Amino acid sequence: MTYCVGMKLNRGLVFMSDTRTNAGVDNISVFKKMFQWEVAGERSITLMTAGNLATTQAVVSLLNERALPAEERGTLSIVEAPSMFQVARLVGETLREVIADQSGIEGPQADSTFGATLILGGQVRGGEPRMFLIYPEGNFVESCADTSFFQIGETKYGKPILVRAYDPEMRFEEAVKLLLLSFDSTLKANLSVGMPFDLHLYETDTFRHGQIRRIEQDDAFFAEISSGWGEKLREAFDTLPDFSLD
């Protein structure tokens, strides 16, 4: 299973993904689920993947091949598309193509065994930062004021804290803290999601990758956040009135 979150702030875009992939309790591996493409000064694009590993790796491989110089391939690539909307269309088409090739079935009829869901975000010069949730059928929806973050994978455990605490005015430092709490809740509830976490912070109108880092198992800040959150929850619980049985 997977857990990935893409968040749109006034300051820019924040991406975080876990790295655990398993095919049973005794077959657990670490695989990267966050990928970036950059034309410095012109665009920064980030993709996060959830679903069938063979499908998502094939999608990323095709996108990488199609990002080669024009003389080495014959199709428009995500490093050339004129807008993030066109980038989303290309990624959706590539996902649909891969699923159809693997399952032998196209569109909504595609075998769910080969399914994958993607979060795509970034900025192309001339446009605003944009974020999209791309479905296995290749169609997609865009984030908006009412839906300013997307989750894929094991979403239910980490969503409540995001819904309660998200604010588009947040600083990157606050957003990372919020995402770590969301991931901590998911880790504690589902063993199929695991560390390390990958993080990317994209700042609006920079048109280049921002901070990219991996949060490892022994990260001191995450340990402090995790234990501190548990203590604060217990303190808050103790201050609430008890239920009356009378």
Side-chain angles (χ1 to χ4, degrees):
M1 188 52 76
T2 296
Y3 186 43
C4 302
V5 181
M7 183 180 294
K8 187 174 182 182
L9 305 175
N10 291 345
R11 183 176 175 181
L13 304 174
V14 183
F15 306 88
M16 187 177 286
S17 67
D18 87 314
T19 54
R20 176 167 291 183
T21 298
N22 63 30
V25 295
D26 59 348
N27 186 11
I28 297 174
S29 302
V30 172
F31 281 92
K32 185 177 180 181
K33 302 172 188 176
M34 182 188 297
F35 307 89
Q36 289 95 11
W37 293 265
E38 177 188 74
V39 179
E42 199 273 332
R43 71 184 63 205
S44 172
I45 298 167
T46 297
L47 181 72
M48 295 187 293
T49 65
N52 181 275
L53 183 61
T55 297
T56 58
Q57 288 189 336
V59 168
V60 172
S61 294
L62 277 175
L63 291 172
N64 282 331
E65 286 187 7
R66 292 168 183 177
L68 293 171
E71 61 271 16
E72 299 182 39
R73 44 88 188 155
T75 58
L76 184 68
S77 77
I78 62 174
V79 296
E80 296 173 324
S83 68
M84 281 302 301
F85 179 81
Q86 293 299 328
V87 172
R89 287 188 61 182
L90 287 171
V91 174
E93 290 167 1
T94 304
L95 176 59
R96 185 170 62 246
E97 173 188 344
V98 168
I99 292 176
D101 286 346
Q102 292 184 342
S103 67
I105 305 172
E106 295 186 358
Q109 302 300 317
D111 188 343
S112 60
T113 301
F114 300 97
T117 308
L118 313 175
I119 294 175
L120 172 74
Q123 186 177 18
V124 174
R125 184 171 290 279
E128 298 294 320
R130 302 174 74 174
M131 185 174 293
F132 302 87
L133 178 62
I134 303 176
Y135 298 104
E137 295 80 12
N139 57 329
F140 53 84
V141 295
E142 183 173 3
S143 64
C144 60
D146 293 328
T147 306
S148 296
F149 62 84
F150 287 133
Q151 302 168 279
I152 54 176
E154 190 58 76
T155 62
K156 54 185 176 292
Y157 304 109
K159 187 172 184 177
I161 181 63
L162 297 179
V163 172
R164 288 177 180 270
Y166 166 81
D167 184 340
E169 297 286 344
M170 298 177 89
R171 295 177 292 112
F172 279 155
E173 294 85 351
E174 294 172 306
V176 174
K177 178 170 64 174
L178 176 59
L179 286 179
L180 287 175
L181 290 176
S182 178
F183 274 69
D184 180 60
S185 297
T186 305
L187 283 180
K188 285 181 167 52
N190 193 315
L191 293 176
S192 68
V193 174
M195 299 181 78
F197 305 143
D198 286 327
L199 170 69
H200 179 210
L201 306 174
Y202 173 75
E203 189 163 2
T204 299
D205 293 339
T206 56
F207 304 106
R208 63 177 65 245
H209 298 336
Q211 290 197 44
I212 297 175
R213 64 177 62 182
R214 175 161 284 191
I215 299 170
E216 299 285 357
Q217 297 267 5
D218 59 354
D219 185 86
F221 180 74
F222 178 68
E224 180 180 358
I225 288 293
S226 178
S227 61
W229 181 242
E231 292 171 5
K232 293 299 183 183
L233 282 177
R234 287 189 290 273
E235 289 175 10
F237 176 79
D238 290 339
T239 63
L240 294 173
D242 292 336
F243 179 75
S244 175
L245 294 177
D246 295 334

